[in-house]
Amino acid sequence: MLALATVGFAVNFWAWALLSPLGPRFKDSLDLTSFQQSLLVAVPVVVGSLGRVPVGALTDRFGGRVMFPWVTAATIVPVLYLGLAGHSSLTALLVGGFFLGIGGTAFSVGVPVVNAWFPPRRRGMAIGVFGMGMGGTAISALTTVKLVDAHGMRTPFLLTAGVLAAYAVLAALLLRDAPGRTVPTEPLGRRLAATARLGITWQASALYAVAFGGYVAFSVYLPTYLKTGYGLTQADAANRMAGFVLLAVAMRPVGGWLSDRVGPVRVLAGALAAVLAGAFVQSFTPALAPVGTIAFLVMAAALGAGSGAVFALVALLAPANTVGSVTGVVGAAGGLGGFVPPLVMGSLYGAYGSYAVGLVLLALVAAAALAFTGTGVRHTVTRRVPARAAH
């Protein structure tokens, strides 16, 4: 079940990230401004993020066996639209990108499915493994531009639609919910209100907005940053972004595994300190080899480990029958955390011709999150969980 959920997450994220590698191409072909290009790649992010809230609550009610095939099948429609007709104007791309956001909601389907199949002491690692499905964005980065160059604009979209259809059928046939799953009986609105009253919902949301939001922001904007700031070709920039994504993906289960052993607070503190250092160094726009590359790889590893630690924290503190709802809100916060930075970076570059201010802002946000982890979050874990269980 963990493998099926992880594959489904990866396939849907592959579709969700299709527009990002093509951003520079659309900028040139449609004569877009930096802000318009940022908006184009950010729209699927914000829609997929906000959609996680109701989808997570619906997963608590109906289970992943129902929701995974439906979310996957629904994502096929905008993928086909973008590939066949929706790439000729900014308006058409924004409409397609809006509905492409459905693919991003798959995250809040998979977490409660995986969470229910594992005992508490193994959930950090299990959810971290599931989180590797965010590597679907790397598949998009490595293949989309090459397929367009070799076979035309339709090809990556048609290929992705075919894979989505195959997975929807596979999930409908094989995916199962854990035995004894607690099914909430309260109305959706009341359950969401109860979720909003949980302290862990907002603490995890704030941290995930930084950790996963930072990952999403770099995964959608790094090709533009490298092309504009360092003069790399589109293909080279996309390949380097894929390397960033793959390292973050590999570190996500490591963050969950470490959280199971030393506690999520310590893992989060270390990850946020690394992001702070990496963003500060990169704000000086050092040479890409080796300093800039090292700074980005350090941030990638830290953001991946931090993302895994956040959901280890959710598994530790959230009531079992609210995991989907909490995941939806936290996932939305993470996606929204990834929506804002590309717009800010595009606007700041348009105004000042430099990305330095944006990276300084990232460092300040990481510092604030680090302080919050060491105070409020640590207090919550100490109060709610006995010391041995927290470790």
Side-chain angles (χ1 to χ4, degrees):
M1 293 306 108
L2 174 59
L4 273 173
T6 304
V7 170
F9 182 25
V11 168
N12 279 277
F13 254 43
W14 176 7
W16 192 41
L18 280 171
L19 291 181
S20 174
L22 298 173
R25 182 182 295 265
F26 289 132
K27 183 177 189 296
D28 294 338
S29 64
L30 300 177
D31 195 25
L32 305 180
T33 66
S34 295
F35 179 81
Q36 288 173 326
Q37 181 186 351
S38 301
L39 182 64
L40 172 64
V41 298
V43 163
V45 174
V46 71
V47 175
S49 303
L50 294 175
R52 290 174 189 174
V53 178
V55 169
L58 289 170
T59 303
D60 279 339
R61 176 67 180 85
F62 296 107
R65 183 181 181 182
V66 172
M67 293 300 296
F68 239 135
W70 275 106
V71 166
T72 304
T75 305
I76 295 172
V77 178
V79 170
L80 288 176
Y81 166 77
L82 285 166
L84 298 175
H87 54 263
S88 57
S89 70
L90 177 61
T91 301
L93 285 167
L94 291 176
V95 170
F98 181 91
F99 290 100
L100 193 65
I102 296 170
T105 67
F107 178 73
S108 59
V109 178
V111 169
V113 171
V114 172
N115 191 76
W117 275 103
F118 287 84
R121 69 182 183 277
R122 296 179 62 196
R123 284 176 183 163
M125 178 64 174
I127 295 174
V129 171
F130 168 75
M132 292 180 71
M134 68 186 189
T137 56
I139 299 174
S140 179
L142 289 170
T143 63
T144 304
V145 173
K146 293 176 183 177
L147 287 171
V148 170
D149 288 341
H151 304 289
M153 183 62 71
R154 295 182 176 187
T155 305
F157 295 92
L158 294 176
L159 175 62
T160 307
V163 174
L164 287 167
Y167 179 77
V169 173
L170 185 69
L173 293 174
L174 300 180
L175 193 64
R176 297 290 182 271
D177 293 305
R181 183 179 71 90
T182 304
V183 179
T185 57
E186 294 181 326
L188 176 61
R190 188 177 299 174
R191 285 188 285 124
L192 290 176
T195 300
R197 291 193 293 269
L198 294 172
I200 180 59
T201 301
W202 303 110
Q203 289 177 330
S205 293
L207 295 172
Y208 204 57
V210 178
F212 185 70
Y215 161 80
V216 171
F218 278 120
S219 69
V220 300
Y221 199 73
L222 195 55
T224 300
Y225 175 93
L226 293 173
K227 185 173 183 292
T228 306
Y230 287 96
L232 301 186
T233 65
Q234 182 181 349
D236 192 10
N239 287 337
R240 290 172 186 266
M241 185 271 275
F244 180 98
V245 167
L246 288 172
L247 179 57
V249 167
M251 287 301 296
R252 185 154 182 159
V254 174
W257 176 78
L258 286 172
S259 296
D260 286 341
R261 281 150 182 77
V262 303
V265 171
R266 292 180 181 177
V267 178
L268 280 164
L272 291 166
V275 173
L276 168 60
F280 179 74
V281 169
Q282 189 57 34
S283 68
F284 294 97
T285 317
L288 195 55
V291 178
T293 298
I294 293 172
F296 276 119
L297 292 179
V298 166
M299 287 191 285
L303 292 169
S307 297
V310 170
F311 275 94
L313 190 68
V314 171
L316 191 66
L317 299 179
N321 64 342
T322 66
V323 171
S325 299
V326 173
T327 296
V329 176
V330 175
L336 290 174
F339 171 74
V340 176
L343 298 179
V344 172
M345 294 289 274
S347 299
L348 289 173
Y349 187 83
Y352 302 107
S354 171
Y355 292 114
V357 177
L359 287 158
V360 169
L361 289 174
L362 173 60
L364 292 174
V365 169
L370 176 59
F372 177 60
T373 300
T375 54
V377 177
R378 184 181 297 276
H379 174 71
T380 299
V381 172
T382 302
R383 179 167 50 87
R384 292 278 303 278
V385 183
R388 181 170 296 180
H391 281 278

